[in-house]
Amino acid sequence: MRVPRFLRSASLRTRVAIASAAAASAVVAVFTILTSVVLANNDAAQLDRRLDSIIDASMYPDQLQDPRRGVLTTGRSKSNGQVVFQRGLQLPPLPLGTATVEVNGVEYRVRTITVDEQGGLVMSVGIRADSVLLNRARIPLYTAVGLVTVLIAGGLGWLLAGPAIRPLRRLTEHTKRLGKNTERMPEVRGVREAEDLSEAMTEMLSRLAAAQQATTNSLQAAQDFAANAAHELRTPLTAMRADLDTLRIHDLPAEERAEVVQDLSRAQRRVEAIITALGQLASGQLAQAEDRELIDVTDMLDRVARENMRAGGVEIVVEAADDLGAIWGWPGGLRLAVDNLVRNAVTHAHATQIVLTARRQEHTMTIVVDDNGRGLPEEEHQTVLGRFSRGSNAAPGGSGLGLALVAQQAALHGGRIELSNGPLGGLRATLTLSTSPEPPADSD
Amino acid sequence: MVDDDPDVRTSVARGLRHSGFDVRVAATGKEALRLLSNESHDALVLDVQMPELDGVAVVTALRALGNEIPICVLSARDTVNDRIAGLEAGADDYLTKPFDLGELVARLHALLRRASHSDQPSDTMTVGPLTIDTARRLVFVDGERVDLTKREFDLLAVLAENAGVVLSRQRLLELVWGYDFDVDTNVADVFISYLRRKLERDGLPRVIHTVRGIGYVLRDEP
């Protein structure tokens, strides 16, 4: 069962947001409680102070016990501003309304009103106004509290962010341990970003591993090929060496001597054929997509037929429509493939009649080479396509690479080569090619 | 003369014929075994790399049948190592392709001479844990029988006859293979390594010692 991604694991952003929200809530909660307590205390203190003033004013209106505690009352004549009566310290003359004034270094909140007795009075009544909370003396305290709050918030954030980014740290540790004995990336769960990163890294690692494997494989193939090529070259050289030694050691009659020399030159041609075929194989391996050209298949078959009939002894018929059209490919390589098939029929199967047929289907072009030669045992139809493998009835002197070259070209052209028993009594070689203008993807 | 390649078969067989040998050729291992069972032959030149029944299989089959015909294998490997395919199975010598025809002819003559008079004294020799019964051609190490190929036995017998005496490679080639001519081969060293592997199995102490720059010696103590 697959859980939607957003449910499976939160993103790192979410986790960090949650962590910082948690830290902030903790700080706000603590601060709110503290503030509430302080404010409640402050309210109580203010109320107490008000009570003190009321008690002073109502119980002991004539005594002044504490000048800082009592209610200051100053009455002034409305007309000339003379102080008519005064209780406690004298308040300065003030306009009507409320104001804050400083008397003897203490702040008082003073309300000034008009009293209409004794010919008009202006009376100012003041009580202490210095605040409990808003006090300059408390600034350092508040600063300290603020700093501590910031520190607590930072600490909490640090603590809570730890678990939030743990998957990322785990990913880092996995990556550090990587490569010592494992190529697999252990799965990291919990944070979407870390999961994405982990998945991307796993993908990259498998891509790297695949690339490495491909390199190892092709290196192995190259080594095998080099060993095979060396063996293939050594074989005719062994024959040549034996012939040369025979000529050197023994004084042969002219007739036998001619035979040895003929064998020698055949072995020499064989070495040459192998080297040529090796070069062709290598250039097939290095074929570049941009070297492809449009090939007129009918024209190419005509040319192969003409050139192979020149030596005589074989009749080659081309059965292909003129409007067969062209396909994209490497002209030299394709020509070589068809040429090799025709030459095999002549050289190894001793064919006297060959029919080249080309047909176009929807996405493929099929070139069929039929001959009336001696054919090939059915069990060898597949094996002879391998490099350095020859048919059991092959004529001596071949490179063992001819059909391997055909197979290589078929693969390059997005198709394949198949051998079967043909209708003319000999072998039928069916070469299938892709007609797609796009170069085929690497088939090996 | 057995080789799957027609060019090599023709040329080497022709060279041997001109050198005075009566040569029969075979293209496959099967054909070679059939030829050898039908008529008697004096020596076999055998390609190692052949499709189906390869040279090693042919040597193994022949030796299993008790056929002690001298065999020279043709190896295509050019690396110098002591694992020449065929020798371990019981072949007597090897040549690396391509080879000098004169070399092959000389070695074949020597191997044929050797094969015709294999006249070692029939008695029992003992060196350390080693007991060699030349009459029955058996070798025992600490009373346990060790299977050796013919050429391995001949080499060990020569070393035992000369126990304590250092024999040069050239001398060994002469005594064991009959190569009384200058020959460029490491076949003696290859067979020494085979012998050591068989005799020193199960961690037994070394009895065949290398005397650097000179050759080999069989003795009990190091």
Side-chain angles (χ1 to χ4, degrees):
Chain A
M1 188 191 79
R2 273 188 81 80
V3 188
R5 275 195 65 111
F6 65 93
L7 282 183
R8 266 189 295 142
S9 44
S11 87
L12 185 62
R13 179 185 278 180
T14 315
R15 286 174 76 105
V16 168
I18 290 172
S20 42
S25 334
V27 170
V28 166
V30 169
F31 203 69
T32 308
I33 292 165
L34 272 175
T35 316
S36 313
V37 171
V38 169
L39 283 178
N41 286 342
N42 184 54
D43 278 356
Q46 296 283 4
L47 275 174
D48 290 352
R49 206 179 273 175
R50 241 185 279 165
L51 270 177
D52 286 345
S53 304
I54 293 166
I55 287 167
D56 284 348
S58 51
M59 306 293 285
Y60 321 101
D62 303 321
Q63 297 170 2
L64 187 67
Q65 291 180 335
D66 182 354
R68 289 192 306 158
R69 200 174 108 171
V71 181
L72 305 184
T73 316
T74 305
R76 281 193 173 82
S77 157
K78 208 174 184 179
S79 49
N80 55 11
Q82 288 294 318
V83 174
V84 180
F85 65 88
Q86 171 183 354
R87 194 152 51 97
L89 296 168
Q90 190 185 79
L91 289 166
L94 289 164
L96 294 177
T98 313
T100 305
V101 292
E102 201 181 300
V103 181
N104 266 3
V106 179
E107 282 201 333
Y108 287 87
R109 190 71 175 163
V110 181
R111 163 127 345 136
T112 308
I113 51 167
T114 316
V115 185
D116 283 329
E117 43 184 288
Q118 298 166 15
L121 275 179
V122 174
M123 190 167 77
S124 297
V125 179
I127 59 168
R128 271 195 71 175
D130 57 327
S131 148
V132 180
L133 272 178
L134 288 174
N135 193 325
R136 277 178 194 283
R138 291 205 170 190
I139 289 176
L141 178 66
Y142 293 155
T143 314
V145 169
L147 275 176
V148 168
T149 314
V150 168
L151 283 178
I152 289 172
L156 274 176
W158 192 75
L159 280 177
L160 292 172
I165 61 157
R166 190 179 299 142
L168 268 187
R169 277 217 306 272
R170 220 178 304 145
L171 184 63
T172 313
E173 278 161 27
H174 287 330
T175 314
K176 270 186 202 154
R177 279 204 300 272
L178 211 64
K180 278 174 193 154
N181 41 27
T182 172
E183 286 184 349
R184 289 278 331 142
M185 189 80 197
E187 286 211 337
V188 172
R189 291 273 154 246
V191 166
R192 205 179 307 151
E193 285 89 341
E195 279 165 24
D196 290 348
L197 191 56
S198 155
E199 267 163 35
M201 285 173 81
T202 307
E203 227 166 84
M204 184 190 75
L205 281 175
S206 54
R207 266 204 311 276
L208 281 178
Q212 202 178 16
Q213 190 56 46
T215 313
T216 313
N217 285 351
S218 58
L219 210 65
Q220 183 61 46
Q223 272 172 353
D224 290 351
F225 182 71
N228 277 337
H231 176 248
E232 286 299 317
L233 285 169
R234 198 165 278 132
T235 302
L237 288 174
T238 303
M240 289 174 82
R241 179 77 189 264
D243 287 338
L244 285 171
D245 287 342
T246 306
L247 288 179
R248 187 170 46 83
I249 300 169
H250 307 284
D251 194 12
L252 300 179
E255 197 180 314
E256 286 181 46
R257 197 184 157 81
E259 187 194 314
V260 176
V261 170
Q262 197 188 338
D263 284 357
L264 255 176
S265 60
R266 193 182 63 219
Q268 187 274 339
R269 279 199 303 276
R270 181 172 163 191
V271 172
E272 232 176 67
I274 292 172
I275 290 172
T276 309
L278 285 175
Q280 286 162 342
L281 264 181
S283 66
Q285 218 122 38
L286 298 174
Q288 301 286 320
E290 55 266 30
D291 293 338
R292 298 179 343 137
E293 287 172 25
L294 270 174
I295 306 166
D296 185 325
V297 175
T298 312
D299 184 51
M300 181 195 70
L301 295 183
D302 279 339
R303 270 170 42 209
V304 170
R306 213 165 43 237
E307 274 167 39
N308 280 284
M309 279 194 290
R310 198 171 292 156
V314 61
E315 186 201 350
I316 304 175
V317 182
V318 177
E319 288 180 1
D322 284 337
D323 57 351
L324 204 57
I327 62 165
W328 279 99
W330 291 268
L334 195 57
R335 169 86 192 278
L336 177 75
V338 180
D339 206 47
N340 276 357
L341 291 173
V342 171
R343 271 199 263 168
N344 272 356
V346 175
T347 315
H348 299 304
H350 304 299
T352 53
Q353 195 193 351
I354 297 173
V355 179
L356 302 178
T357 321
R359 267 193 321 275
R360 194 182 192 118
Q361 284 92 359
E362 203 176 334
H363 298 297
T364 54
M365 172 81 79
T366 311
I367 299 173
V368 179
V369 181
D370 282 317
D371 70 62
N372 68 342
R374 52 184 179 173
L376 191 68
E378 196 147 349
E379 62 271 18
E380 291 179 28
H381 284 175
Q382 192 59 43
T383 54
V384 287
L385 299 178
R387 287 174 182 181
F388 299 122
S389 78
R390 296 178 179 82
S392 54
N393 53 11
S399 68
L401 290 169
L403 283 172
L405 272 164
V406 177
Q408 185 194 43
Q409 287 301 329
L412 271 175
H413 289 84
R416 61 188 184 281
I417 170 76
E418 268 164 29
L419 301 181
S420 53
N421 293 322
L424 298 181
L427 194 69
R428 160 173 278 191
T430 310
L431 183 62
T432 317
L433 309 166
S434 163
T435 52
S436 156
E438 294 302 314
D442 255 350
S443 49
D444 48 14
Chain B
M1 162 68 207
V2 189
D3 198 303
D4 61 320
D5 188 86
D7 287 349
V8 174
R9 213 162 51 226
T10 313
S11 298
V12 174
R14 179 170 51 212
L16 288 174
R17 253 181 220 122
H18 284 299
S19 305
F21 290 94
D22 182 11
V23 187
R24 299 277 178 281
V25 292
T28 65
K30 248 184 236 165
E31 203 181 327
L33 287 178
R34 201 170 52 241
L35 269 180
L36 283 161
S37 64
N38 286 349
E39 42 188 304
S40 102
H41 295 262
D42 298 319
L44 182 64
V45 179
L46 181 67
D47 184 27
V48 173
Q49 274 186 308
M50 284 187 294
E52 291 171 59
L53 201 63
D54 71 358
V56 181
V58 172
V59 175
T60 311
L62 284 174
R63 295 308 188 224
L65 292 169
N67 192 334
E68 292 295 341
I69 181 175
I71 302 173
C72 182
V73 290
L74 302 179
S75 164
R77 303 267 154 70
D78 49 359
T79 46
V80 180
N81 67 29
D82 61 354
R83 298 196 75 90
I84 312 292
L87 284 194
E88 232 170 344
D92 298 277
D93 201 357
Y94 77 96
L95 279 170
T96 309
K97 284 182 176 181
F99 52 85
D100 187 300
L101 187 71
E103 185 81 33
L104 176 64
V105 169
R107 291 200 199 182
L108 283 177
H109 277 307
L111 290 174
L112 287 169
R113 262 202 315 276
R114 274 278 113 174
S116 60
H117 56 96
S118 202
D119 52 359
Q120 273 151 351
S122 325
D123 64 80
T124 303
M125 293 176 282
T126 307
V127 181
L130 215 61
T131 310
I132 301 155
D133 181 345
T134 46
R136 292 188 295 153
R137 299 184 69 83
L138 295 179
V139 175
F140 299 90
V141 179
D142 279 339
E144 245 180 88
R145 203 180 135 184
V146 180
D147 279 327
L148 296 183
T149 64
K150 177 180 178 294
R151 197 58 59 175
E152 285 166 353
F153 181 87
D154 290 348
L155 176 60
L156 184 62
V158 163
L159 284 166
E161 276 168 45
N162 299 280
V165 180
V166 180
L167 296 173
S168 67
R169 286 174 185 79
Q170 184 52 52
R171 184 81 183 126
L172 285 173
L173 286 172
E174 196 182 321
L175 289 171
V176 180
W177 282 268
Y179 295 165
D180 50 3
F181 45 90
D182 201 18
V183 60
D184 177 26
T185 178
N186 68 342
V187 72
D189 308 80
V190 173
F191 273 103
I192 290 279
S193 76
Y194 290 165
L195 268 181
R196 279 179 175 162
R197 213 179 301 155
K198 287 184 178 177
L199 299 178
E200 292 169 15
R201 212 170 32 196
D202 309 326
L204 290 167
R206 173 155 292 190
V207 284
I208 303 173
H209 300 278
T210 308
V211 181
R212 268 175 53 204
I214 305 174
Y216 298 97
V217 60
L218 182 73
R219 61 164 178 253
D220 191 12
E221 69 279 357

